[in-house]
Amino acid sequence: MVGVLWILVFGLLVHDTAAATKKPHIIFILMDDLGWNDVSWNNPEVEMPTLDKLARKGVILNSSYTQPTCSPSRGAIMTGYYPYHMGMQKGIVGRYQPKNLPLDKETMAEALKKEGYATHFIGKWHLGFCHWNHTPTYRGFDSFYGFYSGAQDYYTHTSYGGHDFRFNKSVHYPGEDKYSTTLFGRRAAEIVSEHNSSKPLFMFVSFQGVHTPLQVPLKFSNRFKHIKNKSRMLYSGMIAAVDDAVDRMLKALRAHKFMENLVIVFTSDNGGASYVAGSNWPLRGSKATLWEGGTRVPTFVYSKTLLQKHGYVHDGLVHSTDWMPTLVGLAGGQTSPFLDGKNQWLAFSKGWLSPRTEFVYNIDELKRSAAIRVGDYKLIVGSPGRYSNWYPVRTKPSCNTRGAKGGYIFEEKQLEKARKAEMKANQADKAWWFSSPVKYIGGVARVAYQAARGNRAFRLINDWYQNYGCDRLDEAIEKEDPKLLKAKVQLFNIREDPYEKHDIAKRRPVILKKMMRKLKAFKTTLVPSYNPPASKLANPKNFDGIWSPGWC
C-alpha cells in the first residue's frame, strides 16, 4: 500500500514538473490609440469589466512605454528593436508607400515558430504590404485575418477607394455582422476552438479599436447615453466593444482548457488621440507627441498560474521592445543579443526590479527631434509634437475633421457618410411603414432599408455640424501656446514631475550635460529614416478596387 502511495506521489510530482516546463500559450492583445485615462484601473468612469478583472488579477505595468505613433510601435513590439535602429523612426507606413518592416529583423512570430508554436495574427497589420514578403503570413504567422493599412471603415472595411480585408492571402468579405471588433473577437475564439492545446499557441490580436473613425453598434454606445460629449460616448462604446470581444475569446480559452498554462499581454500602440476623443489625463500631450501622454500606455500581464506574484502594480520601466525577448524567452527560445529589448519576465512574475534603467522615446533626424529617458530624467530635444497641453476628457465633440493640420480628413468623410445613411434610414422607415411590407420584401427598397438600418447602427454623430460646428480646431488645441512648438532642449524629472510641468534644464546643467552626452551616444547607432515617396502603383484601382501587395 505504501509503495502504491509513493508511486502516486511520484506521478503527481512528474505531472506538475511537466506542466511547469510545458511551453505556455501566449495571447498578445494590442489596442489602437488607447489612452492612459481610457482604462478602468486609471479611470473608474471607463467600463471594461473583462479587461479590468484580468488587469487586477495580473500585474499592472505602471511605467510601460511605446513609440508616439502606430507603425514604429508595432515594429518595436514585433522585433525588439527601436525604430531608429530600423529606419522606421519617421512615422507610420502610408498606404501608397513602398515601406515595410525590414526583412533582416526576425519577428516574434518567426522566433516562436522555431519553438513549435502555432502562430496567428488577427486585426490591423500596418507594417507594410507593398510586396507579399512583407505581409503577415510571410513574416512568421500561420494565418492572417485582418487588414493591412492603418485605418478604415469598421463596417465596409474600405478606405480611400479600396477594400482592405484578408483571410490569409485571399480577399475577404465578412458576413452579416461586419463590425471589425466583433469579427476579430470571433476569429480569436474560432482559432482557440480549433487548436490542439497540446501544441503551444501564439495569437496576436491587434484590434482596430479605438482608432478613428468613431463607429460602434448602438448596443454598446447606448450604455453611455449619460455622456454629453457624443464623441466620448461613441469612444466609450468602442472600448466596451473590445472588452466584449476579449470576453468572447476568454470563454473559448476556458472552455478548451487553455487557462492553466496561458499568458495574456494587453497594451496600446501609443497614447490616446486627445484631439478626437481619447484621454491621457493627467499626463501631458497626445498621440504623435514625445510627451508622456503620447508614449506611456496602459499595460498589464495576466496569467492564472505562471505569475508567482500577482494582483499588484509594477512601477519599473518597460518598453515595447521588451516584449520580443520576454515572450520568446518565456517560450524557451533565444533572441539576438543585439536587441534593444530586455527580458522582463522575472520582474513581472516575481515583482523584482526592472532590468531596464533607460530607453529611447525616439530619435528622428528628419524632424530634428529626440527624447530619451535615463533613470528618473527625461530629455527632449526639438519639438515634442503639436499637441503639447494637458487635455481632460472633452466636454464637446472633437472638431478636427475639416482638413486642418493634425485633423483626419478620413473622419470627415465618415461623418458625411453617416449623415447620408441616417437620411436614408429615415426615408426607408417612412416607405416601410406607409407601404405594404409584401411589396418591398425581396425588393430594392427592402434591401436599401436593411442597408440603411445597418448604417444607422454604427452612425457617428448626426448633429456635429448643426449643434457645434467644426470649422476650426478644438478650442484647447487652437489656444495652444506657440512657444511649445519651438525646437528647444527640455529636461524633466519624471519621478517627481510625472506630468511634465516643470522644465529643469536651466536648473540642472550638470545632469543636462550628461543627458546630452547620452543622446549623442545613442545617435551614433542611428539607421537613417527610410521614408520613400508615395507610388501611384499602389492605387487600388490597379487591383480591382482592392488594396493589394505586388507593386514594389
Side-chain angles (χ1 to χ4, degrees), residues 328-448:
V328 174
L330 180 62
Q334 298 291 327
T335 54
S336 169
F338 301 106
L339 292 187
D340 295 308
K342 297 183 180 297
N343 189 330
Q344 295 265 12
W345 184 249
L346 290 177
F348 299 161
S349 62
K350 295 177 181 290
W352 290 4
L353 293 175
S354 169
R356 179 176 289 285
T357 58
E358 60 186 33
F359 65 87
V360 176
Y361 289 84
N362 198 32
I363 301 176
D364 187 342
E365 79 282 14
L366 298 181
K367 291 183 179 179
R368 297 183 180 181
S369 66
I372 62 171
R373 173 79 175 267
V374 180
D376 295 334
Y377 293 98
K378 176 179 180 178
L379 173 72
I380 302 177
V381 176
S383 173
R386 187 171 183 280
Y387 307 102
S388 292
N389 274 325
W390 295 264
Y391 306 103
V393 176
R394 292 173 178 277
T395 56
K396 292 184 178 181
S398 58
C399 295
N400 71 317
T401 58
R402 301 297 287 181
K405 289 183 178 180
Y408 288 146
I409 296 175
F410 182 69
E411 293 173 52
E412 184 174 15
K413 293 180 179 178
Q414 299 308 311
L415 283 170
E416 189 62 29
K417 181 186 292 185
R419 293 181 65 199
K420 290 180 179 178
E422 194 69 26
M423 291 175 63
K424 287 182 180 179
N426 291 335
Q427 293 171 358
D429 278 339
K430 293 178 181 179
W432 182 250
W433 290 110
F434 292 99
S435 303
S436 169
V438 177
K439 180 179 179 181
Y440 288 93
I441 293 177
V444 176
R446 175 59 172 164
V447 173

Side-chain angles (χ1 to χ4, degrees), residues 23 68 80 125 188 212 215 307 319 334 370 375 393 419 428 467 474 481:
K23 296 179 186 296
W125 177 242
T212 52
Q215 296 173 312
L307 294 173
H319 189 265
Q334 298 291 327
V393 176
R419 293 181 65 199
N467 291 353
D474 176 84
D481 186 351

Side-chain angles (χ1 to χ4, degrees), residues 31-35 38 154 207-214 234-240 242 272 276 278:
M31 283 192 68
D32 199 335
D33 292 1
L34 187 73
D38 292 333
Y154 280 73
F207 283 107
Q208 183 179 354
V210 286
H211 197 289
T212 52
L214 302 183
L234 291 171
Y235 191 85
S236 299
M238 293 168 76
I239 294 173
V242 171
V276 181

Side-chain angles (χ1 to χ4, degrees), residues 17 35 149 253 267 329 410 501 532:
T17 302
S149 61
L253 289 166
T267 189
F410 182 69
K501 293 185 176 182

Side-chain angles (χ1 to χ4, degrees), residues 15-27:
H15 178 268
D16 289 344
T17 302
T21 57
K22 188 179 178 182
K23 296 179 186 296
H25 306 296
I26 300 171
I27 309 293

